[in-house]
Amino acid sequence: FKISMSKEAAVIVLDVGASMGEARADGLTRLDLAQKAVRLLIQQKLLFTKRDVIGVVLFGADEGDNALYVEGQPGYENVKVLANLRVPDLGMLEELDTIQAESGKSDWTDALLA
């Protein structure tokens, strides 16, 4: 009897555009809430699944940082790959904490392609 160990891959596509930085009535921003949800997912993977991989891609960033942008493809100048697919670690949580709302214009479909 052999149990198959599965491996999951997840890419989190996160909006960091200006509207995500607007404070709500409770003082939190939509970005704060999104970061909290992503943090919980990463922590869960850290604790319970040592084989799964996660990547984080931001859209609405002020500057592009992705392979298509580097190659000169138009439309990806506001998409930033924060973390390539990898087993989550504490460094990924630290990278997540650096995210701030920015003012770039792009949409989630650009982020999926990057």
Side-chain angles (χ1 to χ4, degrees):
F1 182 74
K2 186 175 183 180
I3 298 175
S4 173
M5 296 295 287
S6 63
K7 181 177 185 176
E8 293 180 8
V11 176
I12 288 104
V13 177
L14 189 59
D15 183 357
V16 295
S19 67
M20 293 294 285
E22 295 172 4
R24 303 171 346 142
D26 62 4
L28 295 174
T29 67
R30 291 189 291 163
L31 185 57
D32 292 332
L33 298 174
Q35 284 176 291
K36 183 177 180 179
V38 173
R39 189 175 295 106
L40 289 172
L41 174 66
I42 293 171
Q43 288 170 341
Q44 179 184 6
K45 297 296 183 184
L46 274 168
L47 292 172
F48 301 114
T49 55
K50 304 296 185 197
R51 297 176 44 121
D52 295 349
V53 292
I54 294 178
V56 181
V57 179
L58 312 176
F59 68 97
D62 290 336
E63 294 184 25
D65 185 7
N66 64 77
L68 293 173
Y69 175 66
V70 170
E71 292 174 5
Q73 297 290 326
Y76 302 98
E77 56 274 357
N78 299 112
V79 176
K80 180 179 182 178
V81 176
L82 182 71
N84 287 308
L85 276 176
R86 68 179 195 247
V87 174
D89 53 22
L90 293 176
M92 188 177 283
L93 287 172
E94 290 171 353
E95 289 170 308
L96 184 67
D97 289 338
T98 67
I99 298 172
Q100 296 181 3
E102 300 184 21
S103 60
K105 304 279 188 218
S106 62
D107 65 38
W108 63 270
T109 56
D110 296 333
L112 283 179
L113 296 173

